[in-house]
Amino acid sequence: MASKIIGKINISAYDLETDVKYLNSVTKQPEEYDEFGQGYWKNLSVYNASGDASDTQYRNTDKCFPTEHAKLCPGIQNLVQL
């Protein structure tokens, strides 16, 4: 079966520029994993299983909590909770 677009989200309706500027200004901590690619990999948790922004562990879970970074990014929160 061929793929097709089933919907579109108008992201211009969200103030993402302010949120992205904030996220780019945050000092990233060292990644728990080094096997994901070449060079240096950095990650910033906006949502994760614990709600702790310093938790960089990838794991299967049915829980997703906003970190303190998400709480400072209302545009992204509105988009994710759409």
Side-chain angles (χ1 to χ4, degrees):
M1 176 196 283
S3 62
K4 62 182 179 178
I5 296 172
I6 59 171
K8 294 181 181 180
I9 298 173
N10 180 8
I11 63 170
S12 65
Y14 301 90
D15 179 20
L16 301 180
E17 184 177 350
T18 301
D19 294 355
V20 170
K21 282 181 182 177
Y22 162 72
L23 294 172
N24 283 334
S25 74
V26 175
T27 301
K28 312 315 184 272
Q29 64 185 36
E31 183 64 44
E32 285 188 51
Y33 308 98
D34 61 0
E35 64 268 9
F36 287 136
Q38 301 288 335
Y40 190 67
W41 180 286
K42 289 189 177 183
N43 165 14
L44 182 68
S45 294
V46 179
Y47 286 83
N48 62 23
S50 68
D52 179 0
S54 65
D55 178 1
T56 61
Q57 184 180 39
Y58 295 107
R59 58 187 171 274
N60 290 332
T61 182
D62 59 353
K63 298 176 183 170
C64 184
F65 299 104
T67 67
E68 57 263 29
H69 299 307
K71 295 172 184 170
L72 294 171
C73 297
I76 290 173
Q77 279 199 348
N78 289 335
L79 179 62
V80 169
Q81 295 171 1
L82 185 80

